[in-house]
Amino acid sequence: MALDLTSLPRPSRDDTTVSSMARGLVGSEILRIAAEIRELVAKGNKVCNLTVGDFSPKEFPIPDGLRDQIGAALQAGETNYPPSDGVLDLRQAVQRFYERSLGLKYPLEGITIAGGARPVIYAIFRAVLDPGDVVIYPVPSWNNNHYAHMLGAKSVVVTTDAAAGFMPTLAQLEPHLSTARLLCLCSPLNPTGTMLDPEALRAICQRIVEENRAREGRGQKPLILMYDHIYWVLNFGKKHVTPVALVPEMAPYTVFVDGISKAFASTGVRVGWGVGAPTLISRMRDVLGHVGAWAPKAEQVATARYLDDTQATESFLTTMRQRVEVRLDALYKGFQRMKDAGLPVDAIAPQGAIYLTVRFDVVGRDGLTTNDAIRKRLLEKARFAVVPFQAFGLAADTGWFRLSVGATSVAEIEEALPRVEATVREILAAK
C-alpha cells in the first residue's frame, strides 16, 4: 500500500523551507491568464486567444524538412549527450547562417548551443553579473526583471512610451550607462512587435564603446550588451540591424540571443544559441553545462542539416512572414477602422515578431480602473484574450496590451473584431 503524502503543505509565499530568492520570484502573469482561458474553453466558449507567444501547430507547423531530419536523427541513434557547447555541425551551420544572412562571421568559439533562448539569457546574466551589479532594461520587455531577481542584480528600469514604439532612446539610457554591467535590448521587441531604429541603435552602441574605452583605462569591467533578436527574421518592411554591423567596435561587448523557436515556429523543439565574443561565450558554455541546459542531440543534428538547406529555409521563411503578417494586418486594420469610427482604441502598425500593440483607452469608464479589468471585460464579453503590458513590467494602467497571432487564424480574428467593437461601444454607453 502506497504511503499517502497528499496532506503535505501547499506552496506559500511565507514558506521558510525555500530561499528568499525563491520566495520573491514572481510566477508568469501570462500563464495565469492562460488558466482563465482554459477554464472558459472547457465550458464550451470559443475564445480568440491572442495571449501566448507561441505557435499553434495547426496554424504554424514546423518545417517539413526539420521534422523529417529530427526523425532521421532519432532513427540513427543520436540520443546521447551532446557536447556542452553544442554539436559541432550545428555550431558551424549557425556560423554560416550568420555570415550569409547578417554579414557577421564569428569564430566557432563564439557560438554556443542551448535548449532554447531562455537558457542563453540566463547564462548571459550568470556569466556577466555579480550580486549587486546593475542591469538596465527598458519596459515593456520580456522577463528581464525575473532574471535580475534570480541573480541578485540591481535593476534599473527605463520606462518607454508609444511615441518611440516603446523602444528606449540614448537620452533615456545615458544617465545609467556609467554604472551598469549589463544592458538588455530586444528587437523586434516582445511584447510590442516594434523594432529599433538603426540610428537610435547606432547612437547607443557608440556610447557603449566610449564608456568601455574609459573603463579600460581605469581597469574596470566593461558594459555588456545582451541583444535578443530571436524574432529577427520576422520583419515587415523594416530592415533588421545588429549592433556589431552598425558599430564593429561593439563585437567584444555584444552577445546575441537567437534560435529556431520563433523563426521556424519550433518553440517546443528547444534549440537556441548565443553568439558573441569567445571570452563571454566560453563562460556561458560552462554555466549551461553545469545546469544541463543543452538542446537534445537529435534536434541539434537535425537543425544543422536544415539550416544548411538554404533553399528550404528561405522558402519556409518567406511563407512564414506572409502568414504572420496577414494576421497582424487583419488585427491592425480592424482596430484602425474602430479608431476611424471614433472609438477610443489605437494600434501601432506591425513591424516585426508576432505581436501587435493595441490600446483600449477606457480606463476610468464603466468601472474599469485597471488594465486587468479591461482584459477581463474583453475576455468575458468579447471572448477576446489579450495580455496587459503589466505582464512585461510596465506599471501604469494606460490601456496598452500585447496581442499575439501565433495561435489563431485570420478567420478567428475577423470573427472576433465585431465582438470587440460591440464591447467597447457597450463600455462607452454605460453610465
Side-chain angles (χ1 to χ4, degrees):
M1 184 170 136
L3 182 63
D4 186 358
L5 302 176
T6 56
S7 61
L8 281 170
R10 296 299 184 261
S12 167
R13 285 291 173 195
D14 300 322
D15 189 352
T16 58
T17 64
V18 299
S19 69
S20 56
M21 184 282 290
R23 286 200 302 274
L25 188 63
V26 178
S28 170
E29 176 75 2
I30 300 171
L31 294 181
R32 182 183 68 80
I33 293 170
E36 290 184 34
I37 297 166
R38 283 196 301 271
E39 184 176 342
L40 272 176
V41 171
K43 293 177 179 178
N45 294 291
K46 186 176 181 181
V47 176
C48 183
N49 186 0
L50 300 168
T51 62
V52 64
D54 197 0
F55 299 94
S56 161
K58 176 184 174 183
E59 299 293 335
F60 291 93
I62 70 171
D64 293 342
L66 179 60
R67 183 195 61 232
D68 295 344
Q69 289 288 2
I70 293 172
L74 288 170
Q75 288 292 330
E78 301 284 7
T79 55
N80 58 321
Y81 284 135
S84 61
D85 55 356
V87 170
L88 177 60
D89 285 352
L90 179 53
R91 291 165 60 223
Q92 291 172 330
V94 171
Q95 183 185 49
R96 290 187 287 268
F97 184 45
Y98 267 44
E99 183 176 8
R100 68 175 180 264
S101 300
L102 293 170
L104 304 173
K105 186 174 182 179
Y106 275 86
L108 283 176
E109 297 81 4
I111 300 167
T112 193
I113 310 299
R118 295 174 197 238
V120 174
I121 296 173
Y122 176 79
I124 293 170
F125 272 72
R126 178 59 78 183
V128 170
L129 297 171
D130 289 316
D133 280 348
V134 172
V135 55
I136 310 171
Y137 53 87
V139 294
S141 63
W142 182 82
N143 269 16
N144 290 306
N145 54 330
H146 302 308
Y147 287 102
H149 172 80
M150 285 190 283
L151 270 295
K154 180 182 177 183
S155 293
V156 172
V157 179
V158 174
T159 301
T160 59
D161 56 57
F166 291 101
M167 285 294 185
T169 64
L170 176 58
Q172 291 174 312
L173 298 172
E174 175 72 44
H176 315 293
L177 295 178
S178 63
T179 59
R181 273 287 280 139
L182 183 65
L183 169 63
C184 304
L185 296 179
C186 176
S187 181
L189 179 61
N190 180 6
T192 63
T194 55
M195 299 174 68
L196 274 165
D197 178 78
E199 291 311 307
L201 180 57
R202 188 193 307 275
I204 292 168
C205 291
Q206 289 172 338
R207 180 64 188 88
I208 292 173
V209 171
E210 292 173 4
E211 173 64 27
N212 283 340
R213 284 175 179 161
R215 291 190 190 191
E216 186 177 2
R218 299 191 296 264
Q220 295 176 315
K221 294 177 181 178
L223 169 60
I224 302 300
L225 171 62
M226 183 184 84
Y227 197 68
D228 179 352
H229 68 167
I230 190 73
Y231 295 94
W232 68 271
V233 301
L234 299 177
N235 55 81
F236 315 111
K238 187 168 183 178
K239 183 177 173 57
H240 174 71
V241 292
T242 68
V244 179
L246 290 174
V247 182
E249 296 87 350
M250 280 294 297
Y253 315 122
T254 303
V255 186
F256 292 99
V257 177
D258 202 359
I260 68 170
S261 60
K262 309 300 183 178
F264 299 104
S266 302
T267 52
V269 179
R270 309 314 301 151
V271 179
W273 50 80
V275 178
T279 49
L280 285 166
I281 295 298
S282 65
R283 300 308 179 193
M284 291 168 53
R285 174 202 64 204
D286 294 342
V287 170
L288 292 166
H290 280 300
V291 298
W294 46 72
K297 189 177 181 184
E299 280 82 342
Q300 290 197 44
V301 170
T303 302
R305 294 170 181 166
Y306 183 69
L307 282 180
D308 277 339
D309 188 344
T310 55
Q311 184 176 351
T313 56
E314 286 306 313
S315 175
F316 179 87
L317 290 174
T318 297
T319 302
M320 179 78 174
R321 279 189 287 266
Q322 292 170 347
R323 289 173 60 78
V324 171
E325 188 173 18
V326 72
R327 288 161 170 77
L328 290 171
D329 281 346
L331 276 172
Y332 178 69
K333 290 174 181 176
F335 282 104
Q336 286 300 109
R337 287 193 295 269
M338 293 183 212
K339 181 180 178 180
D340 292 344
L343 297 180
V345 300
D346 202 358
I348 298 176
Q351 298 173 11
I354 60 174
Y355 308 115
L356 188 73
T357 295
V358 174
R359 188 182 192 192
F360 294 92
D361 191 12
V362 294
V363 174
R365 296 177 182 265
D366 196 19
L368 300 173
T369 58
T370 65
N371 277 14
D372 197 54
I374 297 169
R375 177 193 69 79
K376 289 178 178 177
R377 182 70 61 86
L378 289 168
L379 184 58
E380 176 189 1
K381 296 290 187 178
R383 301 188 304 283
F384 193 72
V386 297
V387 179
F389 273 10
Q390 275 75 15
F392 306 97
L394 197 66
D397 285 299
T398 51
W400 287 104
F401 292 82
R402 184 188 85 171
L403 280 59
S404 174
V405 299
T408 191
S409 67
V410 175
E412 287 174 313
I413 290 169
E414 291 178 343
E415 288 172 8
L417 286 169
R419 301 196 301 265
V420 174
E421 180 172 348
T423 301
V424 174
R425 290 187 181 280
E426 184 179 284
I427 291 168
L428 297 180
K431 295 182 180 179

